[in-house]
Amino acid sequence: MTQAATLTLTLQPVAGRHVFVPPEPALQLRRAVQPESEVLERRRVDGNREGDRPLLSPPVPTVVPHRLGVAVGVAIAATVGTTLYQSYTSPLYKSTFELVPVAQRSQTSGTATATTEIRPEVDQATLIQVLRSQQVLLPAVRDLRAYNINLSPAALAQSLEIVPLADGRLEVRYRHRSERVAQMVSRQLAQTYVDYGDRCRLDACHALQQVRADLTEATGQVARLEQAIAQFQARPDAQNLSHRADTLTRRTAEFMRYLTQTEQELKLAQQRYQVIQTQLSFADANRILQQQADYQALLQALHQTEGQIATTLTQAQPDAQTLQALYQRHQLLSGQMNQQVAIALEQFLLAQFPELAADPETLPPELSQIEQAFGLAHQVNLLSARQRAIAPIHQAMQADKLRLAELLQYQSKLETQLVVQRRILQESQQQHARLQQEISERRIVWRVAGA
């Protein structure tokens, strides 16, 4: 005698998870007419063997929760046929379903992005051994215990048969004396095998996780550096850095040469003044000039003008009219100072040589040295004022040059880091694409036939 039952399994999303929602099985039984004595005898034999069956729970719950990976989709429908093979000794129910390898999608990047489907090559003999192994069956065994179906992985594998079909497909068959157990085990095995395919165990999958982390890190670093560079370039002191640095370097060198020349001339004038002053027995000429109020006022004005000229020359684009006005003022002050030196010299000569008032033609023999001493004292004062005006400006230019160099160094550092991070990002993207291609070619993801 043969009894047949058909059950349709449907996988639907419920509250963010995927569960099987099995409808009530519709059984269509075809019974053969038998003598009443044979029926009574078979019932007595079956009743004696009922204790051999596993302890089963009450009717199957209407909602059976299961885990389901993303790669499977949101709905899987399968038809599990349960056939009762009835012999005179032991009835068995067979539940079957078919696993179909799913084609993987791979994206290739380049001038254009294309998506292609890759069907994995299935080593059916090796794969059947894996699907019958304790490691793969253990999750199904654990989940079945929630429905009072207590099977060991070995007992489950003993009644499990996996038959290879064409195109890498596999037919999974399970037999049991209980129709309910056969159906529940088939459902759970289908879910377990689908979940097993969703969990990638290739070395490339583990590497892909690390590459994704590197990709996320590199993407964040590139964004952070691009933002830092944009903020830096928006600063007022960071505008036209290269041009300003070149101009300042050139101007600083010019000032350095001018300052060096001034210091050399000042040193030489001081030496000559000391020599001429030792040859004279009267008062110091420079001290006489320092006592002249008008001369000192003009010297201070000249010192300020020298500083203004130097400051204007430090600008990236000095104003020509401003410079011309300053040069004219400098020339005027220089002329007035020369007049004050001549007045101071004349006053000194009249005080030192009273006879000159009566006879201006009678010149003292030291006149030439005296005039030279006053001239050298005046030159020392002029060079000293120029040196005092240029030196601090040159120091400020050196500080500006150092600050611009630091800004350029910081900008260069940011740009170098950005280049490195972009290269890392590009390498991570390429490695990510290679690993995805490798996984698509080697990974096997299952779906249940009919889904």
Side-chain angles (χ1 to χ4, degrees):
M1 181 185 69
T2 302
Q3 295 178 341
T6 302
L7 177 63
T8 301
L9 307 180
T10 304
L11 187 64
Q12 298 178 348
V14 177
R17 301 180 58 194
H18 295 91
V19 300
F20 278 116
V21 183
E24 293 294 331
L27 299 180
Q28 298 178 353
L29 304 179
R30 295 188 300 275
R31 301 181 180 274
V33 179
Q34 298 181 5
E36 183 177 357
S37 61
E38 294 181 7
V39 173
L40 293 176
E41 178 65 16
R42 182 170 297 116
R43 289 178 178 175
R44 182 185 64 80
V45 173
D46 292 345
N48 293 336
R49 294 182 178 178
E50 186 69 16
D52 296 336
R53 299 183 182 180
L55 180 61
L56 302 179
S57 63
V60 182
T62 59
V63 178
V64 182
H66 289 280
R67 300 180 301 274
L68 182 63
V70 177
V72 180
V74 298
I76 292 183
T79 301
V80 180
T82 305
T83 305
L84 171 65
Y85 292 93
Q86 179 67 53
S87 65
Y88 289 103
T89 57
S90 178
L92 288 176
Y93 291 89
K94 182 178 73 171
S95 180
T96 64
F97 62 91
E98 185 177 319
L99 293 175
V100 180
V102 180
Q104 300 296 297
R105 292 185 176 183
S106 175
Q107 289 187 350
T108 58
S109 59
T111 55
T113 301
T115 302
T116 58
E117 288 191 352
I118 301 177
R119 294 194 174 273
E121 297 182 1
V122 181
D123 183 357
Q124 292 179 311
T126 303
L127 188 57
I128 289 173
Q129 295 180 2
V130 173
L131 296 179
R132 289 175 55 87
S133 66
Q134 179 177 348
Q135 179 182 2
V136 176
L137 295 178
L138 192 57
V141 170
R142 292 197 189 102
D143 291 339
L144 287 170
R145 290 173 184 169
Y147 308 103
N148 293 329
I149 301 177
N150 299 313
L151 296 172
S152 66
L156 181 59
Q158 186 175 4
S159 300
L160 178 64
E161 181 182 7
I162 303 178
V163 180
L165 303 177
D167 299 328
R169 295 176 293 115
L170 298 175
E171 183 178 89
V172 181
R173 305 169 183 172
Y174 181 75
R175 292 181 174 87
H176 198 273
R177 291 189 299 271
S178 169
E179 178 183 7
R180 173 180 173 272
V181 172
Q183 291 179 348
M184 291 296 295
V185 170
S186 291
R187 289 191 186 100
Q188 193 58 53
L189 282 175
Q191 184 63 53
T192 298
Y193 289 154
V194 169
D195 290 346
Y196 179 80
D198 287 339
R199 294 190 299 270
C200 181
R201 293 168 177 80
L202 299 173
D203 292 339
C205 293
H206 299 296
L208 184 61
Q209 294 179 356
Q210 182 60 45
V211 170
R212 283 173 177 168
D214 296 341
L215 193 59
T216 301
E217 176 67 18
T219 302
Q221 290 290 346
V222 168
R224 181 185 64 82
L225 288 170
E226 288 177 343
Q227 182 180 8
I229 291 176
Q231 292 176 348
F232 175 76
Q233 292 176 345
R235 290 170 49 176
D237 60 344
Q239 303 300 315
N240 301 321
L241 275 181
S242 298
H243 176 70
R244 287 167 54 198
D246 293 341
T247 302
L248 186 58
T249 299
R250 185 174 65 255
R251 294 289 173 81
T252 304
E254 294 174 356
F255 266 76
M256 186 62 190
R257 288 193 299 268
Y258 188 42
L259 179 61
T260 301
Q261 180 182 356
T262 301
E263 290 176 345
Q264 291 176 351
E265 292 178 356
L266 175 60
K267 184 178 180 181
L268 180 59
Q270 289 173 340
Q271 291 176 351
R272 294 176 59 189
Y273 176 75
Q274 291 296 332
V275 171
I276 198 66
Q277 191 64 42
T278 56
Q279 297 175 1
L280 297 174
S281 58
F282 45 82
D284 190 347
N286 191 25
R287 185 176 302 174
I288 296 173
L289 292 177
Q290 290 177 359
Q291 295 173 355
Q292 298 292 325
D294 293 340
Y295 177 84
Q296 290 300 318
L298 291 171
L299 182 62
Q300 182 63 27
L302 187 67
H303 169 72
Q304 293 177 354
T305 305
E306 292 269 6
Q308 292 173 354
I309 293 174
T311 302
T312 305
L313 290 175
T314 59
Q315 299 175 1
Q317 295 180 348
D319 184 69
Q321 293 182 353
T322 302
L323 278 177
Q324 184 178 3
L326 290 172
Y327 285 141
Q328 290 176 353
R329 176 173 174 76
H330 186 277
Q331 185 176 4
L332 177 62
L333 291 172
S334 297
Q336 292 175 352
M337 289 187 70
N338 291 331
Q339 293 176 1
Q340 290 298 320
V341 172
I343 293 173
L345 175 60
E346 182 178 358
Q347 292 175 353
F348 172 78
L349 290 176
L350 291 175
Q352 195 72 22
F353 306 99
E355 63 272 14
L356 287 177
D359 187 6
E361 299 297 332
T362 306
L363 299 177
E366 301 93 346
L367 179 60
S368 175
Q369 292 178 334
I370 295 173
E371 291 177 346
Q372 188 176 2
F374 272 84
L376 289 173
H378 177 55
Q379 184 179 8
V380 167
N381 289 333
L382 290 178
L383 292 174
S384 179
R386 183 177 301 170
Q387 189 270 343
R388 292 195 312 270
I390 297 175
I393 296 177
H394 180 262
Q395 292 177 357
M397 294 176 68
Q398 290 282 54
D400 290 343
K401 180 181 176 182
L402 180 61
R403 185 171 54 85
L404 285 177
E406 292 175 350
L407 292 175
L408 282 171
Q409 184 179 7
Y410 179 70
Q411 181 180 359
S412 177
K413 181 180 178 181
L414 289 178
E415 292 174 348
T416 301
Q417 290 178 349
L418 180 60
V419 170
V420 172
Q421 290 300 326
R422 281 176 174 171
R423 184 170 64 249
I424 293 176
L425 177 60
Q426 183 180 8
E427 292 175 353
S428 298
Q429 290 172 338
Q430 294 174 351
Q431 189 175 5
H432 186 271
R434 288 195 300 269
L435 289 172
Q436 281 190 323
Q437 179 75 12
E438 179 181 351
I439 292 171
S440 300
E441 293 174 353
R442 296 177 55 194
R443 181 182 175 189
I444 301 175
V445 177
W446 297 105
R447 70 173 178 85
V448 178

